[in-house]
Amino acid sequence: MKARMTEKSATDRLQKVGLEVTEHRLQVLMAVGNTPHPSSAPEVLGLIRAKKDINRVTVYRILDLLVEHEVLNRLGLGEKSQRFCLRGAREDEHPHFHCTCCDRYLCLNVPALPFDHKALADLSLDIRHVDIRLEGLCPACQKIKK
Ligand SMILES: [Zn+2]
Ligand SMILES: [Zn+2]
């Protein structure tokens, strides 16, 4: 999430998960990859439409596809508050901050919080993804509340 997503890195990322590289998929991946905070589907659509014509359904479908292939994280519950950000490798997942006041999300650029997988060994769960969300007020909302 730090590095800029170029056409080349977006291409690599799609190929790595076995997806065919198409112009639209590259556009969606670059739009998400180059936004520093998790973006909503309408935001992604707006970013791409600023440059090219793209169908809304196409964008939504590609976002779903990229989540399915573990290229993107999907945050938030409910259709309206869904946000998307670039997913790291399994050992490199990042936590998120959610502002309960303005509903904004932030990607936290810290290593995943310490999580003791061994302590859960008894449950024999096959854990695929760690999704850690911190909730509270962002700086702007703290000011309003004062
Ligand atoms: Zn806020
Ligand atoms: Zn993120």
Side-chain angles (χ1 to χ4, degrees), residues 14 19 22-29 44 48 54-69 71-72 84:
L14 290 174
L19 283 174
T22 68
E23 178 62 26
H24 283 156
R25 288 175 184 169
L26 287 177
Q27 291 299 332
V28 171
L29 186 48
V44 176
I48 301 172
I54 193 166
N55 182 293
R56 177 178 161 275
V57 177
T58 307
V59 169
Y60 284 45
R61 228 188 265 138
I62 292 173
L63 285 169
D64 282 341
L65 182 79
L66 294 178
V67 169
E68 233 170 79
H69 284 78
V71 175
L72 299 182
F84 301 87

Side-chain angles (χ1 to χ4, degrees), residues 1 38 73 75 85-86 94-96 106-108:
M1 70 188 179
N73 287 314
L75 315 169
C85 75
L86 215 52
H94 58 271
H96 293 94
L106 294 174
C107 293
L108 301 179

Side-chain angles (χ1 to χ4, degrees), residues 10-47:
T11 303
D12 288 349
R13 198 71 200 261
L14 290 174
Q15 282 171 341
K16 214 188 253 168
V17 296
L19 283 174
E20 195 193 325
V21 179
T22 68
E23 178 62 26
H24 283 156
R25 288 175 184 169
L26 287 177
Q27 291 299 332
V28 171
L29 186 48
M30 286 193 292
V32 176
N34 289 321
T35 307
H37 58 268
S39 14
S40 66
E43 262 182 295
V44 176
L45 184 65
L47 282 170

Side-chain angles (χ1 to χ4, degrees), residues 81-128:
S81 56
Q82 285 187 4
R83 304 286 196 293
F84 301 87
C85 75
L86 215 52
R87 181 152 164 180
R90 196 158 300 173
E91 52 294 342
D92 189 28
E93 298 194 61
H94 58 271
H96 293 94
F97 175 82
H98 175 229
C99 177
T100 51
C101 180
C102 65
D103 199 30
R104 252 195 303 241
Y105 283 83
L106 294 174
C107 293
L108 301 179
N109 198 0
V110 295
L113 302 177
F115 182 71
D116 190 358
H117 287 265
K118 272 191 227 121
L120 298 176
D122 285 354
L123 300 174
S124 22
L125 304 170
D126 177 12
I127 295 167
R128 304 283 177 91

